[in-house]
Amino acid sequence: ISERRDDKIYNTCLCINPEGTVVGKHRKVHLFDIDVPGGITFFESDTLSPGNTLTAFDAGEPLGMIGVGICYDIRFPEYSLLLCQKHQCNVLIFPGAFNLTTGPAHWELLQRGRAVDNQCYVVTAAPARTEDPASKEDGKPGKYPHYTSWGHSTVVTPWGEVAAKCDEKEALVIADIDIEKVKEMRQGIPTLQQKRGDLYKLTDP
């Protein structure tokens, strides 16, 4: 949702538990300012301001800690790594709307990468694709420029396998999330304990 605060506008994701309580609020940290030659040009910073915090919340047993990012945040591995390093997240959730240029090339690839990097589940929720009003018979454009979403909401396992996904149409994606798989992965390939803090480290300012 768009959130207006102190004369700034943020792209914000609210995390609400089954009792209706807001347990987390993430303001998109990385703004989508790109100019792909022969592709898409888009500058979120013309309208939005970036958030400045990591977002994680405790979902209780069995899921435990869940980290949250929005769309473009998934391209920055440091953000996800720090969520798991600081909050021991078992699941990372990224609502997002990649476009028809970046979507087919990178959407699933990035999810699988973040899942393997952090040995956790990655869950994404994308809007279904809608038709550009200007392409209809009357040819009238909408009030705002049309944005075509790639869609393809997905669930990826800690092993980097796609557990469930849909296409660009409206759908409900259902998958079993077994936190034991996270524990098994982290014990079997203990990268979190094998990091070389003498050579490199992630810090939370």
Side-chain angles (χ1 to χ4, degrees):
I1 62 171
S2 58
E3 176 195 9
R4 186 183 296 272
R5 180 65 60 90
D6 299 328
D7 296 323
K8 294 182 178 180
I9 300 175
Y10 301 95
N11 184 349
T12 300
C13 175
L14 295 179
C15 308
I16 303 172
N17 70 14
E19 287 71 44
T21 302
V22 175
V23 293
K25 182 175 76 171
H26 179 67
R27 291 172 173 167
K28 187 176 184 181
V29 173
H30 304 92
L31 298 184
F32 187 56
D33 288 359
I34 68 161
D35 186 3
V36 179
I40 187 172
T41 299
F42 200 91
F43 289 90
E44 280 190 328
S45 62
D46 288 345
T47 304
L48 300 175
S49 295
N52 295 306
T53 58
L54 299 171
T55 303
F57 65 93
D58 190 350
E61 294 297 330
L63 294 178
M65 295 299 295
I66 295 179
V68 183
I70 295 177
C71 201
Y72 199 45
D73 288 337
I74 200 172
R75 283 193 179 271
F76 299 85
E78 298 86 353
Y79 178 78
S80 296
L81 286 166
L82 196 52
L83 276 172
C84 291
Q85 174 180 294
K86 182 178 180 180
H87 298 290
Q88 292 78 52
C89 293
N90 295 317
V91 181
L92 298 177
I93 296 177
F94 294 89
F98 273 40
N99 57 62
L100 298 189
T101 301
T102 60
H106 299 151
W107 180 233
E108 182 179 307
L109 178 66
L110 287 165
Q111 295 173 65
R112 297 179 69 187
R114 297 297 80 82
V116 172
D117 287 344
N118 297 284
Q119 301 172 312
C120 68
Y121 283 89
V122 171
V123 178
T124 59
R129 196 175 304 168
T130 56
E131 186 179 2
D132 185 348
S135 68
K136 297 180 181 179
E137 289 186 10
D138 58 18
K140 294 179 181 178
K143 182 178 180 181
Y144 301 104
H146 184 74
Y147 185 91
T148 304
S149 170
W150 171 241
H152 294 80
S153 299
T154 307
V155 179
V156 179
T157 72
W159 191 254
E161 297 174 324
V162 174
K165 69 175 180 179
C166 65
D167 57 17
E168 76 282 1
K169 302 180 182 66
E170 185 175 341
L172 180 64
V173 178
I174 299 175
D176 289 326
I177 292 181
D178 183 359
I179 298 304
E180 288 301 315
K181 297 295 184 183
V182 177
K183 297 176 182 177
E184 290 172 9
M185 186 74 175
R186 290 176 176 175
Q187 290 172 359
I189 308 177
T191 55
L192 290 174
Q193 286 75 47
Q194 294 171 335
K195 292 185 183 297
R196 289 288 304 274
D198 57 322
L199 296 177
Y200 54 82
K201 63 180 62 179
L202 284 173
T203 59
D204 184 12

